[in-house]
Amino acid sequence: AQRVTQPEKLLSVFKGAPVELKCNYSYSGSPELFWYVQYSRQRLQLLLRHISRESIKGFTADLNKGETSFHLKKPFAQEEDSAMYYCALSLTQGGSEKLVFGKGTKLTVNP
Amino acid sequence: KAGVTQTPRYLIKTRGQQVTLSCSPISGHRSVSWYQQTPGQGLQFLFEYFSETQRNKGNFPGRFSGRQFSNSRSEMNVSTLELGDSALYLCASSFRAGGLETQYFGPGTRLLVL
């Protein structure tokens, strides 16, 4: 079964420290993975997708097919990075895409 | 462009009642998906509509249904409400460009069933 696991419900770091949010997936095909972020009182929004290999707000994520992981990293955390982060796996069937989400990790960056 | 809008934002119902939630996608987006978010189960896919047709359905009972209109606006309906239906219901509209599809989420409708 397709599944996304985010092992940490809560993660707390200090400003300026490196941060890594873990994501593991279970999928037999070629995965398309995303990180979504939800800041306080804002809607869920796309942070980055693995296929674009881009860096957004200093965050990067590398797909490791051997370890079936897609961890989100940032070398120097900022207070404004405090938010809920969701890893998601895209499943496309007949042109229809559905996202399978992990349970999320709440990141708190302390001053 | 205006973002995805959902109405109402908050709703309180009692067990056994039914409820209809509405979603207006971003202009030009023809695909609308619905998700249920609860503390216990997280975000779970309900269904997806494209050009007034349901293309995909999640693992929810038949009490959960939806439809899409010719202007791409979508509604979802939950009949015979149960306490466990209390959740945040998110709608997302999506658009495919350059082979990539991106889902844009609305603010959600928070449903409380008493």
Side-chain angles (χ1 to χ4, degrees), chain A residues 69-85:
Chain A
S69 68
F70 186 56
H71 303 328
L72 184 68
K73 300 176 185 178
K74 185 169 182 176
F76 308 103
Q78 304 299 314
E79 288 179 69
E80 54 266 29
D81 296 328
S82 295
M84 277 294 296
Y85 290 81

Side-chain angles (χ1 to χ4, degrees), chain A residues 32 34 36 38 43-46 49 51-52 86 91-99 101-103, chain B residues 3-5 33 35 37 40-43 45 48 55-57 90 96 100-103 105-107:
Chain A
E32 187 175 350
F34 304 81
Y36 278 80
Q38 188 167 31
R43 60 187 68 190
L44 196 61
Q45 58 186 285
L46 178 66
R49 68 176 86 211
I51 203 165
S52 301
Y86 295 93
L91 302 178
T92 302
Q93 174 186 321
S96 170
E97 178 191 66
K98 78 172 188 182
L99 295 174
F101 285 90
K103 295 271 179 85
Chain B
V4 177
T5 57
S33 299
Y35 293 83
Q37 186 175 27
Q41 299 300 317
L43 278 151
F45 173 80
E48 187 253 355
R55 291 198 300 188
N56 207 344
K57 191 176 192 309
L90 294 175
R96 183 171 284 273
L100 297 178
E101 183 153 350
T102 303
Q103 295 200 17
F105 284 82

Side-chain angles (χ1 to χ4, degrees), chain A residues 24-43:
Chain A
N24 289 91
Y25 66 91
S26 171
Y27 182 54
S28 56
S30 186
E32 187 175 350
L33 289 150
F34 304 81
W35 277 99
Y36 278 80
V37 61
Q38 188 167 31
Y39 300 102
S40 180
R41 295 192 182 85
Q42 293 188 29
R43 60 187 68 190

